[in-house]
Amino acid sequence: MSLPTLLRRGAVLLTVAVAATTTGAATAAPTSAKDVAQAAVNALVGQHRAMGSSAFKLGAGEHWSVHAGKVSGQENRPITEQDHFRVGSLTKMFVSTVVLQLVAEGKVGLDTGFGAYLPGLATGTTHDDTKITVRNLLQHTSGIGEYLNTIVALPTNWWRTWNVLDHAKSGLSQNSLFPPGSKYSYSNTNYILLGLLIERVTGRTVNQEIAERILVPHGLANTGLQTAGQQLMPAPYVTGYVAVPLVPVRIDSRSQDPTLAWAAGAMHSTAVDVAKFLDLLLKGKLLPPAQLEEMKKPFPGGFYGLGLAKIDLPCGVSAYGHNGAMAGYTTFGFATENGKQSVVLSSVTPMSNGGLKLNDDTMAATLCA
């Protein structure tokens, strides 16, 4: 399963970008992973309308980065590994980790219907909350529809403060797509429901649970899920841009209310923190072995586990991670079990198929090097 296919389906990652530029005189083919990554970020800026793009290779004794463009229209410097950006659906890896910690603690049943924790929420809908399990929500096999499609396209909705319960009700109000557990269909509504579940079970906000279970103990000081009304990330940050089709216009999308995507995609982080999170996760520092194996195990015949995607690389190595796309930000992040991490950010959406292919190829080249 290629990363472009993953992103179009909405899965989640964060890694390196790739492709050769075609402007100007003919150039030699890239000869190393770093050359591939540099050509890719050049192309993402030169051909795919990103204001800036950077790729980072970390872990396994290697630490390098490549850059093109700039961090914003007002600041003429490249995106660095310390710049904050919206990670989009990479958020799901953090939420899934918290849920699986609760499973390990005996507070949540992985194969228990979500109605046991959120009673009455599905009443009057076509969804059976006794049969749609926590596993189905984590794995996107619930058959619950997407709440986000109708609201993310309008820029004024980025700044609005939402009641996240309404997101859940919007998704549940749609007809069931299939019997739970029978198919995979990516839906952000699943992770809104998981955020609500975390809060109901713990009596605390999902922001607090992520911070106190993952971020604070492991020194991920530049990562967080902000609260309603906090529409700017901590400085320094990358300014995202939405490219308007057919005209040379980009809309500044740096301001976004976290209630728009909430537990499905509203976290911010840095390249260093994302790489460190992936390393901690795959080395078993965040979950007991049984829960980590459940997280990594894809749906039969597919690529998506419990909040974590698995990609088989051309070199015979498997990589795990997620991609993310929020207005103005396209991110990829993956890691291998032998300690290599790759992170890439491009400050533009929507990303064309050609741009996604750059991310796909670069991730493979970098992690196989």
Side-chain angles (χ1 to χ4, degrees):
M1 178 66 64
S2 70
L3 287 186
T5 302
L6 262 177
L7 192 72
R8 287 196 295 273
R9 292 186 182 183
V12 245
L13 295 91
L14 213 141
T15 214
V16 152
V18 29
T21 59
T22 57
T23 56
T27 58
T31 58
S32 70
K34 191 171 183 179
D35 291 337
V36 169
Q38 184 65 67
V41 297
N42 289 347
L44 286 164
V45 171
Q47 302 171 20
H48 297 279
R49 303 183 68 184
M51 177 67 71
S53 183
S54 290
F56 305 90
K57 171 69 179 290
L58 304 103
E62 295 185 67
H63 191 156
W64 52 257
S65 59
V66 295
H67 315 276
K70 53 189 180 179
V71 72
S72 75
Q74 295 76 42
E75 196 173 356
N76 189 19
R77 65 171 180 82
I79 298 169
T80 74
E81 63 188 28
Q82 299 297 339
D83 284 317
H84 296 84
F85 55 89
R86 301 190 187 282
V87 302
S89 284
L90 286 142
T91 301
K92 293 180 175 69
M93 295 190 292
F94 292 83
V95 171
S96 178
T97 299
V98 171
V99 171
L100 290 170
Q101 288 180 354
L102 293 171
V103 170
E105 294 164 10
K107 297 174 182 176
V108 171
L110 191 55
D111 294 305
T112 300
F114 79 85
Y117 310 104
L118 299 171
L121 193 55
T123 300
T125 75
T126 59
H127 302 280
D128 186 342
D129 63 7
T130 67
K131 294 182 179 179
I132 299 174
T133 65
V134 174
R135 182 191 300 275
N136 295 147
L137 297 178
L138 288 164
Q139 196 178 53
H140 297 294
T141 56
S142 66
I144 298 171
E146 175 62 65
Y147 84 91
L148 195 57
N149 289 339
T150 58
I151 63 175
V152 73
L154 187 63
T156 54
N157 283 338
W158 306 341
W159 312 310
R160 174 180 166 183
T161 297
W162 298 84
N163 182 339
V164 295
L165 187 60
D166 290 339
H167 294 334
K169 291 178 178 178
S170 174
L172 288 168
S173 69
Q174 301 171 42
N175 288 335
S176 177
L177 300 175
F178 47 76
S182 65
K183 296 181 181 180
Y184 166 90
S185 181
Y186 193 89
S187 173
N188 286 291
T189 310
N190 291 317
Y191 277 75
I192 297 297
L193 289 167
L194 289 166
L196 293 169
L197 181 151
I198 289 170
E199 296 195 340
R200 181 66 63 89
V201 169
T202 65
R204 294 154 53 82
T205 68
V206 68
N207 315 55
Q208 291 172 315
E209 289 297 308
I210 290 172
E212 296 191 17
R213 288 173 174 270
I214 302 173
L215 308 182
V216 174
H218 297 286
L220 302 179
N222 291 306
T223 302
L225 176 60
Q226 294 171 301
T227 57
Q230 292 181 302
Q231 297 189 355
L232 285 178
M233 294 173 285
Y237 59 77
V238 178
T239 298
Y241 294 88
V242 176
V244 179
L246 305 179
V247 294
V249 174
R250 289 181 288 203
I251 301 174
D252 184 326
S253 61
R254 77 183 82 178
S255 296
Q256 297 180 36
D257 198 277
T259 58
L260 175 64
W262 195 52
M267 289 183 70
H268 64 82
S269 189
T270 64
V272 168
D273 270 15
V274 168
K276 185 175 181 179
F277 169 79
L278 288 167
D279 192 48
L280 289 165
L281 180 65
L282 294 183
K283 287 182 177 177
K285 304 295 185 182
L286 302 178
L287 289 171
Q291 281 69 46
L292 180 57
E293 285 308 305
E294 290 280 11
M295 189 181 195
K296 291 164 58 181
K297 183 170 60 180
F299 180 69
F303 61 89
Y304 200 85
L306 307 183
L308 195 68
K310 178 185 178 184
I311 301 297
D312 295 323
L313 301 173
C315 54
V317 174
S318 295
Y320 298 88
H322 226 281
N323 62 20
M326 283 298 291
Y329 302 86
T330 302
T331 57
F332 282 73
F334 266 82
T336 62
E337 290 181 297
N338 63 0
K340 296 181 181 180
Q341 304 98 42
S342 176
V343 179
V344 79
L345 166 68
S346 296
S347 57
V348 69
T349 55
M351 183 70 76
S352 68
N353 287 344
L356 296 178
K357 182 64 164 60
L358 297 180
N359 289 289
D360 192 359
D361 294 346
T362 304
M363 190 274 293
T366 305
L367 293 179
C368 283

